[in-house]
């Protein structure tokens, strides 16, 4: 990633990097918290509105502002978001939901699975890593129209570990998926638009941290408040 300020979509970021991994120093996924309903609803409304516009509409693409982070690993690089993890996580979950809605989960899995792990993952807790791996490989037995709650559907699956209920990132992801279900359940044909790199509908400005001569140490100092322990960790 050589340019200082690049406009790209989620799919284009994955084309450049092998993985997107929310690093250990980050907090849990917050947009799906029960207390963030207004933020969640407003964001999903904006995403749905953009995807509902016809191709070529002058209002497109919807730009989600700046996302910055660092890359590691050379040819098999990973992008570590230091600001923007919330938006990236929501976009990943939206890719999964719309792929399910449009019968494209095989394409989604091919795009998001590297043979061992999900190409989008959390390094915050092992349980979060396991959940995203499981979600990428999950083929729901029902269509979205036959499901009232995705959270209940997933929690009833035999691969869903009981202790995952104590992971705040997983619980927030389940809440977000239920909110997406309410917003997008009557939609169709949106997955292909979401992954269209030629005419991206939803974009962001990528700022690689290394271009500023900065290191992760700066962010650690900025984020020194740390993360609270979960009941499970306690």
């Amino acid at each position: 990633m050589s340019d200082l300020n690049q406009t790209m979509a989620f799919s284009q970021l994955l084309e450049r990097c092998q993985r997107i991994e929310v690093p250990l120093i980050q907090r849990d996924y917050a947009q799906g918290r029960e207390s963030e309903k207004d933020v969640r609803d407003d964001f999903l409304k904006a995403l749905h509105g953009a995807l509902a516009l016809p191709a070529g509409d002058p209002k497109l693409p919807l730009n989600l502002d700046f996302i910055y982070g660092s890359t590691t690993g050379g040819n098999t690089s990973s992008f570590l978001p230091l600001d923007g993890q919330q938006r990236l996580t929501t976009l990943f979950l939206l890719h999964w939901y719309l792929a399910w809605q449009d019968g494209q989960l095989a394409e989604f899995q091919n795009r998001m699975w590297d043979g061992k792990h999900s190409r989008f993952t959390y390094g915050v807790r092992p349980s979060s890593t396991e959940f995203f791996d499981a979600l990428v490989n999950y083929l729901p037995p029902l269509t979205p129209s036959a499901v009232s709650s995705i959270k209940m559907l997933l929690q009833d699956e035999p691969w869903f570990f009981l202790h995952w209920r104590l992971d705040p990132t997983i619980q927030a992801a389940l809440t977000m998926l239920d909110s997406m279900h309410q917003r997008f359940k009557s939609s169709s044909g949106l997955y292909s638009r979401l992954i269209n790199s030629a005419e991206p509908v939803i974009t962001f400005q990528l700022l690689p941290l290394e271009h500023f001569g900065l290191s992760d140490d700066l962010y650690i100092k900025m984020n020194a408040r740390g993360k609270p322990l979960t009941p499970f960790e306690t």
Side-chain angles (χ1 to χ4, degrees), residues 56-178:
D57 190 285
K59 295 180 182 178
L60 295 177
L62 171 67
N63 191 278
L64 303 182
D65 212 339
F66 294 103
I67 287 177
Y68 72 86
S70 58
T71 56
T72 61
N75 292 332
T76 56
S77 63
S78 294
F79 177 71
L80 310 178
L82 300 179
D83 183 70
Q85 76 167 92
Q86 304 297 324
R87 285 163 285 162
L88 289 173
T89 305
T90 298
L91 287 176
F92 168 80
L93 294 173
L94 184 61
H95 278 72
W96 180 84
Y97 180 80
L98 293 181
W100 178 29
Q101 180 78 274
D102 291 343
Q104 294 292 320
L105 280 175
E107 197 284 338
F108 170 85
Q109 185 183 80
N110 184 62
R111 180 181 295 268
M112 296 291 182
W113 186 251
D114 69 4
K116 293 182 179 180
H117 296 287
S118 168
R119 294 180 63 195
F120 178 89
T121 191
Y122 265 64
V124 178
R125 294 184 178 87
S127 51
S128 300
T129 304
E130 294 165 355
F131 171 77
F132 284 106
D133 284 352
L135 186 64
V136 168
N137 285 291
Y138 178 53
L139 298 176
L142 303 170
T143 61
S145 61
V147 174
S148 59
S149 170
I150 300 176
K151 182 175 184 177
M152 292 179 61
L153 173 69
L154 296 182
Q155 287 184 337
D156 285 343
E157 290 294 338
W159 50 262
F160 192 97
F161 293 106
L162 185 62
H163 69 266
W164 286 1
R165 297 172 185 259
L166 299 176
D167 185 316
T169 287
I170 296 174
Q171 291 306 300
L174 296 178
T175 300
M176 176 59 81
L177 286 171
D178 268 350

Side-chain angles (χ1 to χ4, degrees), residues 199-219:
E199 296 181 281
V201 176
I202 299 166
T203 62
F204 47 82
Q205 302 299 120
L206 183 69
L207 294 177
L209 196 63
E210 54 266 25
H211 282 300
F212 297 96
L214 303 174
S215 68
D216 294 353
D217 292 342
L218 173 64
Y219 187 80

